[in-house]
Amino acid sequence: MNKNIMAIRKPFKRGDFWYYEINRKRVSLKTKDKAKALRIFNEIKREYLAGRLKQLTKEKSISLGDFAAEYLEWAETTQIYKTFRANRLALNKILAIESASKRLDQLSHKTIDKLVAQSRKKKLKPASINNYISHARMVMNKAVEWKYVKENPFASCKLVKKTKRPPAFLSPEQCTEFLASVTDNELKKLIISYLFTGRRREELFNLEWKDIDFERNSYLIRRSKTHLSKHYPMHPTFREVLESYEDRTGRVFKKWLHIDTISKHVKQALINAGFEDFRLHDLRHTFASNLAEAGESLHSIGELLGHTDKRTTEIYAHLSSGHLTQSIQKLTYQPE
């Protein structure tokens, strides 16, 4: 009798998942579905009998397409949606470059090189390209954990170098021109709020009415990965926007159901106003830069922006020195 056949035990269930046994070592098939477990097992068995399956007790050869299907099935119910969506997008980018039938252990740096080349051809920003690379790594870490490959083929791939862009901002006159061009009243309220608070994109998107304190003329930005919970003073113009709303339940800017929609609409509004090179985050720069040019201290600007590291605020240092020229002229004593 063929010893190879005797070395493999048919799939069996332990808890919710299906397993098989090879040389008395239990290996997970990473699925709760019996039909899928049998299909995967039969493919493994064929490879094993043909002598093409290497180190079966430690790792299994699997195609990129099969791994992608298995990974997405697992990730959709395990990861938070934002992470799952980014990982799925990165995986789809890899699938668009490589054949779905390609073995997982045949992926290499060349795959990422192709991804970078295609992304640059589409004129994607370095941040977007690096996001694909980072999430592709994350996906392949799971392939290592599941013992489909010995090591992550993208682990040592370098991120694309970012060209540092100085903060772009609108002057007060340009802000007036920009706001005058916005015809959608709800969009105008949102843009005014960004211009008069300097808040990050997600901070206004997530702002709730329970965080607004009209009596103290302040609002609360809750803790996030980059920000500690903190109360901020309201500018009168921002307060006017808030007071214009009758429904004061849930999120303040509830018209906008997805955060990416905000970026899209603000960007289009900037383009329509003739500011094609600007983006939503530049409204935050506008808030800070105009304060700096007006002579406000970097410390105060950093406090208003919610910076936890004062070095982050130093990008506005060259703007905050303009008022010093005027200040030094106030010296009136004369040398002998």
Side-chain angles (χ1 to χ4, degrees):
M1 185 176 291
N2 191 320
K3 291 182 180 181
N4 285 337
I5 296 177
M6 296 300 293
I8 302 178
R9 180 183 172 188
K10 291 182 179 180
F12 55 92
K13 197 172 185 181
R14 290 292 183 269
D16 293 330
F17 288 87
W18 286 85
Y19 295 79
Y20 73 97
E21 195 172 275
I22 176 71
N23 296 334
R24 298 185 179 182
K25 180 178 177 64
R26 189 170 70 179
V27 182
S28 175
L29 287 165
K30 304 293 188 304
T31 182
K32 300 178 183 179
D33 183 79
K34 182 178 180 179
K36 183 175 180 180
L38 289 172
R39 178 179 61 78
I40 296 173
F41 173 76
N42 287 332
E43 291 176 1
I44 292 170
K45 185 176 177 181
R46 282 196 297 271
E47 290 288 306
Y48 181 60
L49 293 177
R52 293 191 297 269
L53 197 60
K54 299 178 181 178
Q55 301 179 7
L56 187 57
T57 58
K58 294 184 180 179
E59 62 178 271
K60 304 184 292 297
S61 177
I62 185 173
S63 71
L64 174 60
D66 285 343
F67 168 71
E70 184 179 350
Y71 176 85
L72 293 175
E73 180 183 356
W74 167 82
E76 188 171 14
T77 57
T78 306
Q79 298 173 338
I80 61 173
Y81 180 71
K82 184 177 180 180
T83 302
F84 167 70
R85 185 181 63 175
N87 287 344
R88 180 180 60 189
L89 179 58
L91 190 50
N92 286 338
K93 293 289 182 182
I94 299 301
L95 281 166
I97 293 169
E98 304 288 4
S99 168
S101 61
K102 188 166 187 173
R103 288 207 326 265
L104 213 58
D105 58 4
Q106 292 178 326
L107 298 179
S108 65
H109 280 209
K110 189 175 181 180
T111 303
I112 296 299
D113 290 341
K114 290 179 181 178
L115 172 61
V116 171
Q118 288 187 5
S119 299
R120 280 177 168 162
K121 190 174 182 180
K122 294 179 181 179
K123 297 183 179 180
L124 295 183
K125 295 179 181 178
S128 298
I129 300 173
N130 288 339
N131 196 49
Y132 295 151
I133 297 173
S134 297
H135 284 277
R137 283 180 186 161
M138 189 183 300
V139 170
M140 292 306 296
N141 280 337
K142 186 56 65 174
V144 175
E145 185 180 323
W146 286 348
K147 300 188 184 302
Y148 286 149
V149 289
K150 279 187 174 182
E151 55 187 32
N152 190 328
F154 307 145
S156 58
C157 290
K158 294 181 180 179
L159 297 179
V160 175
K161 288 185 178 180
K162 298 180 181 179
T163 53
K164 289 190 177 181
R165 172 180 181 253
F169 66 97
L170 300 170
S171 68
E173 295 75 21
Q174 288 174 320
C175 287
T176 301
E177 180 185 344
F178 174 36
L179 290 171
S181 71
V182 181
T183 56
D184 184 310
N185 192 46
E186 285 302 310
L187 180 59
K188 180 177 287 191
K189 288 181 181 180
L190 184 67
I191 291 172
I192 289 172
S193 299
Y194 277 112
L195 285 170
F196 284 91
T197 63
R199 299 270 59 90
R200 300 175 179 89
R201 181 180 73 155
E202 68 275 8
E203 290 173 347
L204 280 191
F205 177 80
N206 293 323
L207 186 66
E208 297 186 11
W209 282 106
K210 65 182 179 181
D211 301 323
I212 308 299
D213 189 337
F214 284 111
E215 289 187 10
R216 296 184 180 181
N217 200 44
S218 67
Y219 61 97
L220 174 67
I221 296 298
R222 297 186 178 277
R223 183 183 180 92
S224 66
K225 289 182 179 179
T226 58
H227 186 279
L228 300 176
S229 295
K230 184 177 177 179
H231 288 274
Y232 294 90
M234 278 187 215
H235 188 283
T237 305
F238 178 47
R239 182 179 178 119
E240 285 180 18
V241 168
L242 296 176
E243 290 177 337
S244 70
Y245 288 103
E246 294 182 3
D247 180 4
R248 298 183 181 179
T249 59
R251 288 173 45 242
V252 175
F253 301 102
K254 57 173 62 71
K255 174 184 176 179
W256 313 100
L257 301 179
H258 196 283
I259 195 166
D260 289 342
T261 306
I262 290 178
S263 296
K264 179 181 176 181
H265 281 80
V266 173
K267 177 63 179 177
Q268 189 57 55
L270 285 163
I271 292 173
N272 293 343
F275 303 114
E276 294 87 354
D277 296 331
F278 289 79
R279 53 185 179 158
L280 172 58
H281 193 72
D282 291 326
L283 303 188
R284 178 171 165 85
H285 288 319
T286 295
F287 171 85
S289 299
N290 282 298
L291 282 177
E293 287 204 326
E296 192 55 66
S297 71
L298 291 181
H299 175 76
S300 295
I301 294 171
E303 287 282 313
L304 290 170
L305 291 174
H307 287 165
T308 54
D309 187 342
K310 66 179 183 180
R311 290 174 296 182
T312 309
T313 321
E314 289 176 0
I315 61 173
Y316 306 108
H318 68 290
L319 298 171
S320 65
S321 60
H323 68 289
L324 298 179
T325 302
Q326 297 178 353
S327 297
I328 203 169
Q329 302 301 324
K330 296 178 181 178
L331 291 175
T332 58
Y333 51 78
Q334 297 291 327
E336 292 182 1

